[in-house]
Amino acid sequence: MKKIEGIIRPGKLESLLDELEHCGVSGLTVSQVMGHGKQKGYAELYRGKEIRVRLLPKVKVETVVADAQVAQVVETFLRAARTGEVGDGKIFISPVEQVIQIRNGVRDEEAL
């Protein structure tokens, strides 16, 4: 099993959720986060002063899937969240040792 975390633009969330539902992802967590990558934010003028905005609003989407689903889910993230511009986000993939469903104690892929 793998945990897939995607940091994406907020405007791409709905299309990603629709695509993930179509490829069979049954559970996920979505968080509003702030951050920056290579673009390091932007500068804007406010009342004649330059204000540097370093942290940009992003959305973090997390899901745990079976190893066989990883490639399909990653391709879904890429297809649904890509604009081709700096700031599209990142995908992180980590191993998951065990999953336990609290309600009934079911474990591993059965608990997904």
Side-chain angles (χ1 to χ4, degrees):
M1 292 175 293
K2 301 281 192 244
K3 180 178 185 180
I4 300 175
E5 297 176 72
I7 309 293
I8 64 169
R9 297 174 185 267
K12 292 295 193 170
L13 178 61
E14 285 303 317
S15 62
L16 176 63
L17 295 178
D18 290 342
E19 295 271 346
L20 287 173
E21 185 178 324
H22 282 105
C23 74
V25 172
S26 60
L28 52 85
T29 301
V30 176
S31 308
Q32 292 182 352
V33 297
M34 301 286 286
H36 71 77
K38 291 182 182 179
Q39 83 269 30
K40 302 220 185 338
Y42 61 92
E44 65 180 34
L45 287 176
Y46 179 74
R47 295 187 179 185
K49 286 189 170 186
E50 186 176 286
I51 305 295
R52 184 142 171 81
V53 178
R54 294 185 180 174
L55 298 177
L56 303 173
K58 300 288 182 179
V59 175
K60 182 182 197 180
V61 179
E62 302 171 88
T63 187
V64 177
V65 298
D67 289 337
Q69 271 189 297
V70 172
Q72 180 185 18
V73 171
V74 168
E75 284 303 315
T76 300
F77 266 87
L78 293 173
R79 183 175 54 253
R82 179 181 288 151
T83 67
E85 298 175 7
V86 174
D88 276 352
K90 297 259 191 307
I91 301 169
F92 303 95
I93 303 169
S94 309
V96 173
E97 289 184 30
Q98 191 172 37
V99 175
I100 304 168
Q101 192 170 24
I102 294 172
R103 177 175 48 92
N104 55 18
V106 172
R107 294 173 185 262
D108 300 325
E109 289 187 20
E110 222 179 295
L112 297 177

